[in-house]
């Protein structure tokens, strides 16, 4: 029972961080109907920016803030430089898709160049900022509590932005009908840039939280976690914010339980086992609506 | 108010508008009639910036607006109720209207515009919290027009407002278009229902495969033999 509870708590915490990455996929998919495979590398970039500024003695919190800003800008620039020209020419969606895969490898490889950060793993500053909490036989690390609370707050902020603000309303309008959104006076290009920025910023926060928990960073860590978060977004119903949160939690918990009871090498495939099972039962994901098509 | 001069538009190799010129004066209802594929929607879509013009000029009160970004054109005072309504189906009636006022920042103005929309279309007020996708076709048309009015446009462009509506609703929509005009909004109306359009318009242009073939006083055109044969069923 104690091991079950412990694994579940670990899973919920990790799942919250997955959710934070998953919403980035969901937000961009909602507006462009595009899977942004560069998202995992933005997550890595964000984490490396924290690492960089901390090693420059900037201090942990200012470093995280700078990383959020820079990762948001990088995500925005990726769209402006590589994807917007394709949209303007009405290219096939598959071109956008392979472009994001390419961008992902470019970013990861630039980061692993010896003169940049190098390809080997490095020690990342710990986010264990206060003492661990022990309830009965279960110990929860302070970095886990921080991860859970910060991710939860940010997801609430994102939900508020999308549902209650003017820019959020223009995001929802663009998502449903970008032509009509233009007719309302909405600058659709700005909305797209803003969406990429939000996704990039959330990924950077997730990067800081997850690396602060494991205390390790490497340039290639984004591929697997990016795919897991993408699976989480699809499990929940891509394009739907609260779906990404539930998807992230489901993936996180299943993963930790699998590692506990079936062995640690079952851990990583678990996200995809869940994905396949859920898609067979509900092809549009847990909260997905039937046939999301542009009206 | 709105002056289009020698406008050319291409869709790939297709020459959709072949140098058309038209003018809408302050306070008028002007209608553009013509059969399917004549270029009516293309004309409105080019004025609103959704379609790029290859050459020619579009002026709003003397300001050149051809090929400006659509969101800037709305800001300057041109608003379109598009063909097929294009309401946001998953958003409520109120949110749709709010989006219509996206370019307006004055709370008082937005409030007054809500009021005007609800006065013109009391049905919308009853359905304020309903999502637009659950409205009937007629209600969606009302919403599309109400939404277009929320930006306080100088000129309202209407693309086929009667399309797909029952005859009694068509009459009602045309009555409302007339009262919107009487309240001071200039209107450029596109219609396949040429009879109705000519009956409420001051002036009319006839568009045939990308060219303006006839223009003049709407009531005179309604009596013109060529127009009667081609568009009014004899």
């Amino acid at each position: 029972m104690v091991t079950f509870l412990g694994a579940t708590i670990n899973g919920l915490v990790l799942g919250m961080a997955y959710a934070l990455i998953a919403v980035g996929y969901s937000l961009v998919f909602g507006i462009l109907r595009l899977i942004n495979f560069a998202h995992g590398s933005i997550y890595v970039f964000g984490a490396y920016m924290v690492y960089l500024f901390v090693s420059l003695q900037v201090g942990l919190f200012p470093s995280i803030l700078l990383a959020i800003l820079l990762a948001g800008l990088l995500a925005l620039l990726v769209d402006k430089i590589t994807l917007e020209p394709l949209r303007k020419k009405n290219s096939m969606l598959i071109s956008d898709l392979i472009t994001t895969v390419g961008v992902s490898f470019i970013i990861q490889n630039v980061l692993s160049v010896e003169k940049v950060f190098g390809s080997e793993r490095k020690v990342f500053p710990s986010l264990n900022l206060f003492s661990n909490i022990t309830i009965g036989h279960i110990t929860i690390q302070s970095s886990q509590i921080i991860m859970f609370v910060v991710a939860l707050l940010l997801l609430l902020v994102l939900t508020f932005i999308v549902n209650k603000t003017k820019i959020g309303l223009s995001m929802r309008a663009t998502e449903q009908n970008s032509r009509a959104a233009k007719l309302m006076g909405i600058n659709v290009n700005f909305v797209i840039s803003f969406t990429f920025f939000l996704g990039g910023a959330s990924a950077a926060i997730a990067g800081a939280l997850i690396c602060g928990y494991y205390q390790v960073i490497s340039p290639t860590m984004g591929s697997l976690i990016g795919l897991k978060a993408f699976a989480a977004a699809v499990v929940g119903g891509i394009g739907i914010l609260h779906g990404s949160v539930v998807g992230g939690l489901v993936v996180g918990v299943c993963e930790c339980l699998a590692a506990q009871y079936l062995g640690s090498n079952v851990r990583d495939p678990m996200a995809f086992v869940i994905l396949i099972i859920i898609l067979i039962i509900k092809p549009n994901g847990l909260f997905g609506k039937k046939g999301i098509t542009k009206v | 108010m709105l002056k289009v001069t020698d406008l050319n538009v291409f869709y790939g190799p297709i020459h959709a508008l072949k140098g058309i010129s038209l003018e809408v004066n302050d306070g008028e209802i002007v209608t553009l009639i013509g059969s399917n594929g004549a270029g009516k929607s293309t004309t409105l879509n080019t004025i609103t910036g959704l379609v790029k013009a290859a050459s020619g000029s579009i002026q709003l009160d003397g300001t050149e607006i051809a090929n400006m970004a659509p969101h800037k054109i709305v800001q300057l005072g041109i608003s379109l109720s598009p063909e097929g309504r294009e309401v946001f189906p998953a958003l409520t009636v109120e949110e749709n209207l709010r989006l219509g006022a996206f370019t307006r920042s004055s709370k008082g103005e937005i409030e007054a515009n809500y009021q005007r929309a609800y006065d013109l279309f009391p049905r919308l007020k009853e359905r304020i919290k309903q999502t637009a996708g659950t409205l009937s076709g007629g209600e969606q048309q009302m919403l599309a027009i109400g939404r277009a009015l929320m930006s306080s446009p100088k000129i309202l462009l209407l693309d086929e407002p009667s399309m797909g509506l029952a005859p009694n609703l068509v009459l009602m929509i045309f009555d409302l278009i007339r009262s919107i005009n009487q309240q001071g909004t200039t209107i450029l109306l596109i219609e396949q229902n040429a009879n109705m359009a000519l009956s409420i318009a001051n002036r009319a242009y006839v568009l045939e495969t990308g060219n303006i073939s006839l223009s003049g006083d709407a009531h005179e055109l309604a009596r013109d033999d060529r127009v009667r044969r081609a568009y009014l069923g004899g």
Side-chain angles (χ1 to χ4, degrees):
Chain A
M1 192 60 197
V2 171
T3 49
F4 176 80
L5 269 180
T8 306
I9 290 171
N10 284 343
L12 287 173
V13 170
L14 199 57
M16 241 3 186
Y18 287 164
L20 209 47
I21 309 174
V23 290
Y25 286 101
S26 240
L27 287 171
V28 168
F29 180 84
I31 291 200
L32 295 178
R33 294 293 180 270
L34 166 76
I35 309 302
N36 174 20
F37 280 108
H39 194 54
S41 66
I42 303 285
Y43 157 86
V44 181
F45 173 83
Y48 267 100
M49 288 303 106
V50 177
Y51 172 83
L52 172 73
F53 290 117
V54 167
S55 60
L56 293 174
Q57 315 288 332
V58 176
L60 187 58
F61 289 111
S63 296
I64 293 177
L65 284 180
L66 281 169
I68 291 169
L69 194 67
L70 290 174
L73 283 176
L74 180 64
L76 183 161
L77 284 177
V78 165
D79 173 60
K80 277 277 165 207
I81 295 169
T82 67
L83 299 175
E84 196 181 288
L86 296 178
R87 278 199 298 279
K88 278 198 177 142
K89 300 235 155 105
N90 290 320
S91 69
M92 289 184 303
L93 211 49
I94 198 95
S95 320
D96 301 48
L97 204 65
I98 192 68
T99 299
T100 65
V101 174
V103 167
S104 166
F105 279 101
I106 293 169
I107 293 175
Q108 292 198 15
N109 279 288
V110 167
L111 290 173
S112 53
V113 166
E114 216 48 56
K115 291 244 163 73
V116 185
F117 292 106
S119 55
E120 70 282 3
R121 294 167 153 232
K122 297 233 163 69
V123 176
F124 192 88
S126 163
L127 271 185
N128 282 315
L129 300 178
F130 49 89
S131 50
N132 296 342
I133 293 178
T134 308
I135 309 163
H137 293 284
I138 300 165
T139 301
I140 306 172
Q141 292 180 29
S142 65
S143 61
Q144 288 184 299
I145 295 172
I146 291 171
M147 178 146 59
F148 190 85
V149 172
V150 171
L152 179 66
L153 285 178
L154 281 166
L155 289 166
L156 289 175
V157 168
L158 280 178
T159 311
F160 179 82
I161 290 176
V162 171
N163 290 317
K164 299 284 175 209
T165 64
K166 195 175 173 188
I167 178 79
L169 184 60
S170 61
M171 285 167 77
R172 284 184 290 149
T174 306
E175 186 175 327
Q176 286 177 46
N177 185 338
S178 64
R179 225 177 86 94
K182 287 178 190 166
L183 289 175
M184 301 300 105
I186 292 169
N187 183 347
V188 167
N189 282 327
F190 176 79
V191 170
I192 293 171
S193 292
F194 181 78
T195 306
F196 272 93
F197 184 89
L198 273 188
S202 324
I205 297 165
L209 293 172
I210 293 176
C211 293
Y213 168 56
Y214 289 119
Q215 295 167 36
V216 64
I217 185 168
S218 82
T220 51
M221 67 181 183
S223 304
L224 183 60
I225 210 161
L227 281 177
K228 280 185 192 171
F230 174 38
V234 177
V235 163
I238 193 151
I240 295 153
L241 271 189
H242 59 275
S244 297
V245 179
V246 175
L249 293 175
V250 168
V251 168
V253 169
C254 291
E255 190 175 290
C256 289
L257 288 177
Q260 183 69 47
Y261 294 105
L262 305 172
S264 59
N265 42 4
V266 187
R267 180 191 187 107
D268 288 334
M270 211 49 211
F272 306 100
V273 173
I274 301 296
L275 174 75
I276 291 165
I277 293 173
I278 288 188
L279 289 187
I280 289 171
I281 302 166
K282 293 204 76 183
N284 297 308
L286 293 172
F287 296 92
K289 291 178 200 100
K290 237 186 182 170
I292 325 174
T293 42
K294 289 213 166 186
V295 196
Chain B
M1 168 166 286
L2 181 72
K3 192 170 178 197
V4 175
T5 319
D6 203 19
L7 185 65
N8 281 286
V9 173
F10 291 84
Y11 290 123
I14 299 162
H15 199 171
L17 294 181
K18 301 166 184 162
I20 68 161
S21 297
L22 61 89
E23 202 168 338
V24 185
N25 300 313
D26 216 337
E28 277 187 315
I29 300 181
V30 171
T31 185
L32 193 57
I33 58 175
S35 51
N36 240 337
K40 304 190 301 292
S41 289
T42 305
T43 306
L44 292 199
N45 289 339
T46 314
I47 294 172
T48 51
L50 288 173
V51 170
K52 290 268 166 278
S55 67
S57 146
I58 305 169
Q59 291 189 334
L60 177 70
D61 289 333
T63 311
E64 183 61 44
I65 59 162
N67 291 340
M68 260 192 186
H71 67 270
K72 289 186 180 145
I73 293 176
V74 179
Q75 187 104 42
L76 291 174
I78 297 182
S79 192
L80 170 68
S81 166
E83 183 178 6
R85 296 137 202 167
E86 305 214 23
V87 295
F88 300 104
L91 301 182
T92 64
V93 167
E94 197 175 16
E95 286 172 322
N96 269 276
L97 292 174
R98 178 70 192 83
L99 279 163
F102 193 81
T103 56
R104 301 293 120 186
S105 47
S106 145
K107 273 221 165 83
E109 183 187 353
I110 294 172
E111 234 8 88
N113 285 351
Y114 270 124
Q115 207 46 58
R116 168 165 72 161
Y118 294 143
D119 287 345
L120 281 167
F121 310 108
R123 280 266 269 290
L124 294 183
K125 192 168 190 180
E126 295 163 21
R127 294 179 171 29
I128 216 165
K129 294 290 175 204
Q130 229 171 292
T131 54
T134 64
L135 300 180
S136 72
E139 288 163 351
Q140 288 191 7
Q141 187 59 59
M142 294 176 199
L143 181 57
I145 297 176
R147 188 181 65 174
L149 284 172
M150 289 297 290
S151 63
S152 319
K154 293 177 190 161
I155 176 163
L156 174 66
L157 314 183
L158 297 167
D159 195 343
E160 304 276 6
S162 77
M163 194 167 63
L165 299 186
N168 58 333
L169 275 174
V170 174
L171 283 174
M172 182 190 156
I173 293 279
F174 275 94
D175 268 347
L176 285 165
I177 294 171
R178 202 179 290 155
S179 34
I180 291 165
N181 177 250
Q182 278 157 5
Q183 289 169 14
T185 308
T186 305
I187 289 173
L188 175 56
L189 167 70
I190 275 186
E191 261 297 332
Q192 286 202 47
N193 189 337
N195 251 323
M196 289 298 299
L198 289 173
S199 75
I200 66 162
N202 305 106
R203 289 188 304 114
Y205 292 86
V206 179
L207 196 57
E208 261 175 72
T209 58
N211 288 300
I212 303 260
S213 58
L214 282 168
S215 65
D217 180 87
H219 299 286
E220 277 171 27
L221 276 182
R223 287 193 298 270
D224 187 289
D225 275 348
R226 289 163 296 179
V227 175
R228 295 178 66 88
R229 262 198 308 277
Y231 304 107
L232 305 176

